[in-house]
Amino acid sequence: MMANSELTLSPECIAGRYHDAAITRPGGHAAGRITFSIHTDMAELEAEWRVFDDCSLNSLHQSFDWCASWVKTHGSELLIVRGAAGKEPLFLLPFEIERGRLFRTARLIGSEHSNLNTGLFDGRDGAFCAECVLALASGIGRQLRQFADVLVLERTPRIWRGAPHPLAALAGIEHPNASFQLPLLGTIDRTLTQLNAKRRRKKMRISERRLAEIGGYDYVIAREKPEAHALLETFFKQKAARFEAIGLPDAFRQAETRAFFHALIDSGADEPDRLLELNAIRLKGEHAGRISAIAGLSRKGDHVICQFGSIDEEIAAGASPGELLFYRIIERLCREGVALFDFGIGDQAYKRSWCTIETRLRDIFLPITLRGRAAAAVFRAVARAKRWIKANEKFYAFIQRKRRLRQMSAASADEP
């Protein structure tokens, strides 16, 4: 069923089939003609969607439960494109429509808080052929014209887990930020051989000694939902204090964003996978119960992404509790058979100190109407400007200072 009443579908869309181009799948197997269907109800695609979820090459950010949590808390206007060859589903691309004053944008669901976007592709035959993807892009563009002006696929990898990603066949520009990963090699000792193991262990011992001086700590994994919700609220407070201290807007300040992360906790993903697992360093002794560091993790198979992290800036910050927490997390995940720990998007010193893999990401802007051509040009210009600013350390520092001054001025104006 086409559930979203805000989308007016033509009779052809309601029929849901669009013949585009003959393609050949990798290995030379004829796939026949690609057909497209457009949907506004996630539920009618759930069975197929969850089959796509099982493919390790598809990001958990496009998984059914992740997208359902986002839609539930944001009231998104959905447009899900399904592609098939005969009766065989080939891909799902779940978009939400953003309506601006000048143009309409189709963007992958929840892109604002995604570390990695892949869409959902059938990975059984390996990488999609370039001809297939170009045909898909052409066909999708023709069918989406009545709903959107520009198609935005942000933070997509060219290579993911050693294989070319299907979307790499489309033209794109480099995203301003890369993401960073650490392969896990079965034990913490073997994993640390990729890094400066001696220095890493020394930092861990110093952290433990400093925390012991104020009573010690417990490494906590929130297994029960009430504890996880409480830790999430503590994270929001710690992160808000951090953003305020450095003069940046709080990325988690909006009520729907906070509701989304709470919804992830409540999602019933099968163990060991979890959409959001809260890990923490909890102090003992004179500060018993105080949360010194928090990390929010998402797990899909043998891949774990750190979605966010924070520390208590007031107590024991000099003990580097965040570094200690990552050490304990990675140590545990090695025992649990995880193969890749992903620190997520954003170039920060602590990520580089832990990681041996830097994954460059791309943004793809596909115009699908005449107005969309102008929109795509604007998106590309903004992305290039952001990349240039971040590459220019002096100018980036200047921008950060200006942002801090504006925030301080706004805070002063709000005071009675």
Side-chain angles (χ1 to χ4, degrees):
M1 294 178 61
M2 308 298 176
N4 194 322
S5 60
E6 294 186 21
L7 291 179
T8 303
L9 303 179
S10 67
E12 291 81 7
C13 287
I14 293 173
R17 292 293 179 183
Y18 300 92
H19 293 278
D20 188 72
I23 62 168
T24 301
R25 297 291 298 280
H29 303 295
R33 303 183 72 83
I34 301 175
T35 58
F36 299 87
S37 55
I38 299 175
H39 307 259
T40 59
D41 183 2
M42 290 183 62
E44 67 185 23
L45 296 171
E46 181 174 358
E48 286 185 357
W49 201 318
R50 293 192 182 279
V51 172
F52 281 118
D53 284 351
D54 290 338
C55 176
S56 63
L57 298 179
N58 291 329
S59 172
L60 67 87
H61 290 289
Q62 275 76 66
S63 66
F64 184 87
D65 291 326
W66 183 277
C67 291
S69 295
W70 182 271
V71 171
K72 177 182 177 181
T73 53
H74 287 74
S76 301
E77 182 179 337
L78 296 185
L79 195 67
I80 306 161
V81 182
R82 176 185 181 271
K87 294 184 178 180
E88 181 184 3
L90 295 178
F91 72 93
L92 289 175
L93 293 175
F95 296 108
E96 53 186 345
I97 305 300
E98 299 176 359
R99 297 180 181 273
R101 289 183 298 175
L102 300 177
F103 50 82
R104 304 158 300 169
T105 303
R107 180 177 269 112
L108 288 172
I109 292 175
S111 291
E112 183 181 353
H113 285 277
S114 297
N115 283 285
L116 177 76
N117 291 319
T118 62
L120 297 156
F121 290 87
D122 177 8
R124 288 175 295 175
D125 292 334
F128 263 49
C129 61
E131 293 81 4
C132 171
V133 177
L134 293 173
L136 296 186
S138 175
I140 292 170
R142 285 198 295 273
Q143 307 310 327
L144 294 190
R145 284 173 184 165
Q146 62 179 299
F147 309 116
D149 299 298
V150 61
L151 193 65
V152 176
L153 299 159
E154 298 166 297
R155 302 174 182 180
T156 67
R158 185 181 295 277
I159 302 292
W160 179 238
R161 305 202 71 170
H165 188 267
L167 295 176
L170 301 178
I173 64 174
E174 189 173 301
H175 187 77
N177 292 307
S179 65
F180 296 85
Q181 296 82 34
L182 172 69
L184 306 189
L185 306 180
T187 68
I188 187 65
D189 290 337
R190 290 182 61 194
T191 298
L192 292 182
T193 60
Q194 305 170 96
L195 311 168
N196 188 330
K198 183 177 180 180
R199 181 173 178 272
R200 185 65 56 187
R201 292 191 185 93
K202 181 179 179 180
K203 289 182 68 174
M204 188 270 291
R205 289 194 298 269
I206 291 173
S207 294
E208 291 200 316
R209 185 174 69 247
R210 290 178 178 174
L211 291 179
E213 291 172 354
I214 59 172
Y217 76 96
D218 288 320
Y219 166 40
V220 177
I221 307 167
R223 297 299 190 190
E224 301 298 326
K225 290 181 180 180
E227 183 181 17
H229 286 298
L231 279 179
L232 181 59
E233 284 298 318
T234 300
F235 161 76
F236 290 143
K237 293 175 182 176
Q238 290 182 354
K239 205 64 177 178
R242 177 59 179 167
F243 280 126
E244 183 178 5
I246 61 177
L248 294 178
D250 183 357
F252 300 91
R253 68 188 181 280
Q254 296 180 339
E256 58 266 32
T257 299
R258 297 187 175 204
F260 165 64
F261 285 105
H262 279 292
L264 293 181
I265 292 173
D266 290 329
S267 178
D270 294 333
E271 294 286 355
D273 291 355
R274 283 193 174 193
L275 290 186
L276 189 61
E277 175 190 87
L278 277 295
N279 288 234
I281 295 293
R282 184 174 59 204
L283 300 180
K284 299 194 293 186
E286 60 180 302
H287 301 293
R290 186 93 175 218
I291 301 300
S292 186
I294 300 172
L297 310 179
S298 298
R299 177 170 178 173
K300 179 185 174 185
D302 64 352
H303 177 211
V304 170
I305 297 179
C306 181
Q307 301 291 351
F308 54 70
S310 66
I311 66 169
D312 186 335
E313 302 277 1
E314 297 178 356
I315 296 176
S320 301
E323 285 286 319
L324 176 61
L325 179 57
F326 282 128
Y327 189 100
R328 290 304 179 204
I329 289 171
I330 290 169
E331 182 180 49
R332 171 177 67 88
L333 295 178
C334 285
R335 295 195 300 267
E336 294 180 2
V338 171
L340 191 68
F341 186 77
D342 197 326
F343 280 81
I345 196 167
D347 192 344
Q348 294 174 286
Y350 79 90
K351 294 182 183 181
R352 288 192 175 274
S353 74
W354 273 105
C355 296
T356 61
I357 298 173
E358 178 179 351
T359 300
R360 307 305 301 182
L361 301 173
R362 301 187 314 137
D363 296 334
I364 300 167
F365 307 110
L366 298 176
I368 51 182
T369 67
L370 185 61
R371 183 174 295 181
R373 293 183 184 179
V378 171
F379 281 128
R380 292 188 192 102
V382 169
R384 290 191 179 102
K386 287 181 178 179
R387 192 170 70 250
W388 182 86
I389 290 171
K390 292 197 172 186
N392 189 314
E393 293 184 6
K394 290 184 178 180
F395 190 72
Y396 186 56
F398 170 76
I399 294 294
Q400 296 290 67
R401 286 196 299 271
K402 295 291 285 185
R403 295 177 73 177
R404 283 194 291 270
L405 289 172
R406 283 200 302 270
Q407 181 154 323
M408 290 170 62
S409 177
S412 298
D414 291 338
E415 291 179 357

